[in-house]
Amino acid sequence: MPTIDLPIGPIDYRVVGPRAADTPVAVFVHGFLVNSTLWDPVAEKLAADGVRCILPDWPLGAHRRPVDPDAGLSPIAVASAVTDLLGALGLHDVVLVGNDTGGALCQLALRGDTHRVRGLVLTNCDAFEQFPPRFFVPLFTLARSRLAVWTVAQQTRLRAVRHSPLAFGPLLNRPLPASLTRGWIQPLLDSPAIPVHLVWGTRDKHFTIELGRRLAAAFQRAQLDEVADATTFVSIDRPDTVVSAVRDVLA
């Protein structure tokens, strides 16, 4: 996996699809405690269509390579890393694709210079005062303590815990291979005016469809697709709908 050095520190990333400079590009931003494998079902389909997909592992808890010790990890700092990556890779006309916490980071990334960004695709994600949703506030509070993080992380070795209602369970529409969610938490165990297309799973109890509609209304140019049989991780539940949204923005 290649690594790129950014002001925040080294970031691992994968490239799926054509490498030619003139091909359309999508850059993906995952959420808290997952990594870029969240996007694989979408990236594989887009790559087959000739879209170059950049899949970084952002420093949000499931990354393997630590950032610089003195680097800030506030939402603004990580959002800035998103735009820093675009510049470091020399990317233009990019479609940013975000989910969960990553959707909020994409919104924050657009607060300044947007000349490298062509459009935005958001699936169920944080927005407005839902950052994070109240259900996840205790988890973010625990994350401030190294001892608490270590203690909780040990429990996630068990598939039943990872897929329980207190972990990834509410975010998944159906049981998934244990290896997928284990890959998301393994690093934690191993280590001390842009067009917008929203794809929103309506079965999500935390990022509700009302939040999606409110977010769509906040953009001047936004389209909202309501996906009846998906929850938070739409890229896994219904990858074709996310693929279609990226194609639409690229078009």
Side-chain angles (χ1 to χ4, degrees):
M1 182 181 293
T3 300
I4 189 164
D5 289 321
L6 302 178
I8 201 172
I11 298 291
D12 292 330
Y13 69 100
R14 295 177 293 138
V15 181
V16 181
R19 305 296 182 100
D22 59 346
T23 55
V25 181
V27 174
F28 294 81
V29 188
H30 58 75
F32 186 55
L33 285 183
V34 298
N35 60 25
S36 61
T37 59
L38 175 77
W39 299 109
D40 284 357
V42 172
E44 290 168 4
K45 292 176 181 292
L46 286 171
D49 284 347
V51 178
R52 180 166 30 136
C53 298
I54 311 294
L55 301 159
D57 286 342
W58 301 104
L60 294 169
H63 54 298
R64 293 187 177 277
R65 192 181 304 276
V67 297
D68 292 341
D70 297 330
L73 288 176
S74 69
I76 292 293
V78 181
S80 295
V82 174
T83 52
D84 289 338
L85 179 134
L86 303 185
L89 293 178
L91 302 176
H92 296 274
D93 293 327
V94 169
V95 174
L96 289 179
V97 188
N99 168 257
D100 195 7
T101 318
L105 296 176
C106 287
Q107 295 169 55
L108 290 172
L110 299 181
R111 75 195 188 285
D113 186 1
T114 61
H115 79 279
R116 296 182 183 275
V117 180
R118 175 176 185 167
L120 180 64
V121 173
L122 298 177
T123 68
N124 298 51
C125 65
D126 299 72
F128 305 107
E129 68 279 355
Q130 288 279 79
F131 188 34
R134 280 178 290 181
F135 178 85
F136 295 104
V137 168
L139 179 61
F140 280 75
T141 302
L142 283 173
R144 297 173 182 172
S145 165
R146 292 194 178 197
L147 178 60
V149 169
W150 183 88
T151 302
V152 172
Q154 304 317 305
Q155 313 308 312
T156 63
R157 294 181 184 276
L158 300 175
R159 178 185 183 277
V161 173
R162 293 198 304 277
H163 291 206
S164 74
L166 296 177
F168 294 119
L171 311 181
L172 301 170
N173 199 33
R174 60 185 183 276
L176 291 171
S179 59
L180 178 65
T181 52
R182 179 60 181 248
W184 292 343
I185 58 91
Q186 190 64 49
L188 185 60
L189 300 175
D190 295 339
S191 177
I194 291 174
V196 180
H197 199 138
L198 286 77
V199 183
W200 215 268
T202 62
R203 294 183 59 190
D204 195 331
K205 297 179 180 179
H206 307 294
F207 303 120
T208 64
I209 187 58
E210 289 75 21
L211 181 65
R213 291 167 183 164
R214 184 180 168 194
L215 182 58
F219 291 103
Q220 291 186 0
R221 299 171 57 195
Q223 176 179 337
L224 171 64
D225 290 347
E226 301 183 12
V227 186
D229 56 349
T231 55
T232 305
F233 293 156
V234 184
S235 60
I236 293 176
D237 292 341
R238 287 284 302 278
D240 287 343
T241 60
V242 183
V243 170
S244 178
V246 175
R247 287 173 181 159
D248 178 67
V249 173
L250 285 171

